[in-house]
Amino acid sequence: MVLSGLGGRSSRPWAVVGVAVVCLVAGVLALTHDPRPAHADPSALPHTTVEVSPSRCGRGWTTPVSGVQVFDLHNPTDGPAEVLLEDPGSRAVYGEVEDIGPGTTRELTVRLGRGAFAFKCVPDDADAVTGPTVRVTKGRSGPAAAPVTEHDLIPPALAYQKWVGTGLSEVVRLTTALRDAIDRGDLPAARTAWLPAHLQYERMGAAYDAFGDADGAVNGTDAGLPGGVHDQDFTGFHRVEYGLWHGESAAGLRAPAAALLKAVTALRDSWAGTRMDPAQLGLRAHEILENTVQFELTGRTDYGSGSNLATARANLDGTEQVLSRLHPVLAGRYTGLAGLRSELERAGRTLDAFRHGGTWTPLTGLSHRQRERVDAVLDDLVERLASVATLCDPRRTV
């Protein structure tokens, strides 16, 4: 797996493509499927201009209508603002637009029905202000979700961090076996030992950001390195993989294997003093499989072992570990949770079909139809997990 901001890796922003329950596009959150009919002209929908300022939050919405509609949120102040459309009683959020710049207007498209609604304006440097309550008398609204706070995410983050600590100890054990096989010159045994060690590390994808620079040393690629695979800064699992599957001698691999073991041991030993950011847990759940699609399913991280599908399966396992910790947060908010679980199981079955004992079908061994099936099931999960990321993004409500 490859995440942004790490040495020797491709830097890329988080791109949300989800349309499941929560759609986040360019900072706009609408808690519904895309409510616009296919091929509809957005200009044909009802538009209402709403002011989003501390003194006039929500002003302009005087003629409520039901159905799909667009709110043109205008910020006349000299500072950025975040705006939520919520039920003023339950505080359930129907839509949100972040970072509305000074003097700018942003659109929020939602489907509204019978109920009470109010805009909440959250300036960067002032208290949140709730505008007047507006009542819609007919129709059915799209789904809403109660905001998640950082406090809600602390227990899942602590539980996940404890699981990672146990997993790192297993990485050290398996990497020791890999190093020992190389030290005694048994390269067939080393090739057998490499995959379990690497997959154990891959299962902890949601913690990579917390690993910091250590991840580059453990699992970096040669991307951006002047010398490519022969660059002295190309280290970690993929450096050892390249040597094992490209005829390098045991003598040549001893130093890279020793460096890898030193890196994972240091990471394990330092983990107890590391604190994951609870606010990032939902985002990481999405990033794991987004990176899987971009790097594993394209073969960009294959240095000879042909194990990309095995890595994709490990990444799927890692995603399930994150979601199991987030379940108390998602259960009352994400109406698509059962569907997500079903798709995770389907993806697992799809990938497991390419495992044959201790070996996996390489990407090059897939037929066109098989490639399409794998791509489709992982792409669908990425879309669904975008909803998880957005729902678990802590929101300031005061």
Side-chain angles (χ1 to χ4, degrees):
M1 173 166 296
V2 180
L3 295 184
S4 60
L6 301 177
R9 294 171 180 258
S10 298
S11 178
R12 40 191 284 283
W14 175 48
V16 177
V17 294
V19 293
V21 175
V22 186
C23 303
L24 179 61
V25 182
V28 179
L29 162 67
L31 284 151
T32 175
H33 294 277
D34 186 347
R36 291 172 292 185
H39 310 300
D41 180 357
S43 65
L45 296 173
H47 278 248
T48 303
T49 300
V50 175
E51 185 172 321
V52 292
S53 65
S55 62
R56 294 178 57 83
C57 181
R59 301 296 176 179
W61 189 15
T62 57
T63 309
V65 297
S66 62
V68 180
Q69 54 200 284
V70 179
F71 290 100
D72 299 304
L73 305 176
H74 178 66
N75 177 11
T77 71
D78 58 2
E82 176 181 342
V83 180
L84 295 82
L85 178 60
E86 64 179 22
D87 180 326
S90 67
R91 300 295 174 87
V93 177
Y94 288 87
E96 175 188 18
V97 180
E98 299 178 336
D99 298 323
I100 305 177
T104 63
T105 300
R106 300 277 297 281
E107 290 186 351
L108 172 64
T109 304
V110 292
R111 182 189 299 276
L112 298 182
R114 185 188 304 273
F117 306 91
F119 281 101
K120 175 173 285 184
C121 303
V122 189
D124 269 8
D125 55 358
D127 292 339
V129 176
T130 300
T133 297
V134 175
R135 298 187 182 277
V136 177
T137 59
K138 62 180 181 179
R140 186 175 66 177
S141 296
V148 171
T149 67
E150 287 203 32
H151 180 77
D152 296 326
L153 294 170
I154 289 174
L158 290 175
Y160 183 76
Q161 185 161 339
K162 182 177 180 181
W163 176 80
V164 169
T166 301
L168 285 172
S169 294
E170 182 67 2
V171 173
V172 171
R173 185 186 72 81
L174 293 169
T175 306
T176 299
L178 169 63
R179 190 276 316 267
D180 289 348
I182 291 174
D183 279 353
R184 64 175 182 267
D186 190 346
L187 295 185
R191 283 189 284 272
T192 299
W194 181 87
L195 186 58
H198 185 238
L199 296 185
Q200 179 62 28
Y201 184 80
E202 288 282 348
R203 292 186 180 97
M204 296 178 291
Y208 286 179
D209 187 63
F211 291 165
D213 291 341
D215 179 62
V218 172
N219 209 33
T221 71
D222 68 324
L225 298 178
V229 294
H230 303 294
D231 197 289
Q232 64 179 0
D233 290 330
F234 180 36
T235 62
F237 278 112
H238 291 304
R239 166 64 182 90
V240 175
E241 176 190 10
Y242 179 82
L244 285 172
W245 275 272
H246 287 84
E248 190 168 355
S249 67
L253 281 168
R254 286 192 181 106
L260 170 60
L261 179 57
K262 181 179 179 180
V264 296
T265 301
L267 184 56
R268 178 202 61 186
D269 294 346
S270 66
W271 184 245
T274 302
R275 290 293 176 265
M276 292 184 63
D277 181 0
Q280 297 293 308
L281 198 57
L283 173 61
R284 301 304 171 212
H286 172 267
E287 275 188 333
I288 293 173
L289 290 188
E290 187 191 40
N291 279 272
T292 301
V293 168
Q294 183 166 355
F295 295 97
E296 302 304 331
L297 297 191
T298 60
R300 290 169 63 180
T301 51
D302 181 11
Y303 286 88
S305 67
S307 60
N308 288 116
L309 292 176
T311 301
R313 187 59 169 97
N315 295 160
L316 188 66
D317 294 340
T319 301
E320 291 173 331
Q321 289 292 335
V322 180
L323 291 175
S324 69
R325 273 75 182 180
L326 287 174
H327 185 270
V329 175
L330 295 172
R333 294 178 172 89
Y334 182 23
T335 58
L337 187 56
L340 173 60
R341 293 288 183 193
S342 177
E343 286 302 297
L344 284 165
E345 292 174 2
R346 183 166 77 98
R349 293 192 299 270
T350 299
L351 292 172
D352 286 343
F354 303 109
R355 176 167 49 192
H356 316 284
T359 63
W360 287 75
T361 303
L363 288 176
T364 55
L366 300 184
S367 68
H368 180 69
R369 178 170 293 183
Q370 288 172 328
R371 283 298 300 264
E372 286 184 333
R373 185 165 69 248
V374 171
D375 289 345
V377 71
L378 269 296
D379 284 343
D380 179 73
L381 279 174
V382 170
E383 292 185 1
R384 291 173 183 268
L385 288 164
S387 303
V388 171
T390 308
L391 281 168
C392 293
D393 182 18
R395 286 174 173 79
R396 183 179 149 215
T397 57
V398 296

